[in-house]
Amino acid sequence: MEIRRVFTIQKQAAVSAFVLLVFCPLLSAQKLPALEVWGGYSHLRFDSTTLGFASQSSLNGWNGGISLPDLYQGFGVAADVSGHYSTPMEEFNFLIGPQYSYRWKGVRLYGHALFGKARDRLLHPGSTQLEPSNLSKATAFGGGLDFQLIGKFSFRAVQADYLTTSAFGSTQHNLRLSTGLIYRFGKR
């Protein structure tokens, strides 16, 4: 019960901050900032030795997000959601935080610091039930490289994140690599 209440409060704070960042430019009579939506493949190298596994786990899955990349001179905000799967476990991440972007000749370099929650689920041996489950804090520090394609489409060549989670009371140090397509709403 206590975890749900804390998660609800943090979720409300994140939504309030996101809404504030979206509507501040409108209130100051500026043009609406561009919005980017992206999605694609992701690979997570999970530090499962802290959970009793013999070695680190390789999880495959998806990663996606939404961002306001240029609210003020390259500074923006990004929200990131991902899901990774393997036979013995699953991990889902829900993150939001500041991002800085730099554009040069159709290429964009960016870095971000994302904070939020991770949901980890372990598979009981010999069953199809996913349990036990744990909700913990998560942070991701990283960045990536995007290439402009045609029109409003871009290609995210790589997004690399150092992702830390605290599943089941122990800290995991993970590496997440993602790639995918971006669609931009609004003007550049």
Side-chain angles (χ1 to χ4, degrees):
M1 291 296 181
E2 197 66 30
I3 291 175
R4 287 185 187 167
R5 188 171 73 230
V6 170
F7 184 67
T8 302
I9 291 169
Q10 289 179 346
K11 183 173 75 173
Q12 290 170 350
V15 168
S16 298
F18 185 73
V19 168
L20 182 65
L21 287 172
V22 168
F23 290 109
C24 276
L26 291 176
L27 296 175
S28 64
Q30 295 179 3
K31 67 178 181 173
L32 184 64
L35 175 77
E36 292 182 347
V37 177
W38 83 279
Y41 169 78
S42 184
H43 177 79
L44 178 68
R45 184 73 171 167
F46 188 80
D47 185 13
S48 56
T49 57
T50 61
L51 302 178
F53 288 77
S55 63
Q56 293 186 344
S57 299
S58 291
L59 288 80
N60 295 304
W62 54 270
N63 193 1
I66 186 168
S67 66
L68 297 166
D70 196 19
L71 290 176
Y72 180 74
Q73 297 181 356
F75 287 98
V77 65
D80 184 279
V81 179
S82 64
H84 298 90
Y85 314 92
S86 72
T87 304
M89 70 175 300
E90 296 179 345
E91 178 168 286
F92 301 94
N93 298 295
F94 311 94
L95 306 162
I96 188 168
Q99 176 175 289
Y100 179 76
S101 301
Y102 178 76
R103 290 188 182 278
W104 181 68
K105 296 184 180 182
V107 175
R108 181 176 70 169
L109 297 166
Y110 67 93
H112 55 228
L114 306 173
F115 308 92
K117 295 290 181 181
R119 166 71 70 188
D120 294 286
R121 295 181 181 167
L122 298 177
L123 181 65
H124 278 295
S127 106
T128 58
Q129 303 264 338
L130 288 174
E131 287 301 329
S133 177
N134 181 253
L135 181 67
S136 63
K137 69 177 181 172
T139 58
F141 299 101
L145 179 65
D146 299 341
F147 293 98
Q148 181 69 39
L149 293 176
I150 299 170
K152 296 184 178 224
F153 286 95
S154 296
F155 172 64
R156 179 149 294 165
V158 66
Q159 176 176 307
D161 293 304
Y162 173 68
L163 177 69
T164 58
T165 56
S166 300
F168 301 101
S170 61
T171 302
Q172 295 81 35
H173 303 277
N174 312 308
L175 176 63
R176 181 178 68 175
L177 299 173
S178 304
T179 187
L181 288 177
I182 304 166
Y183 184 77
R184 184 177 190 98
F185 295 92
K187 295 184 180 179
R188 195 185 280 208

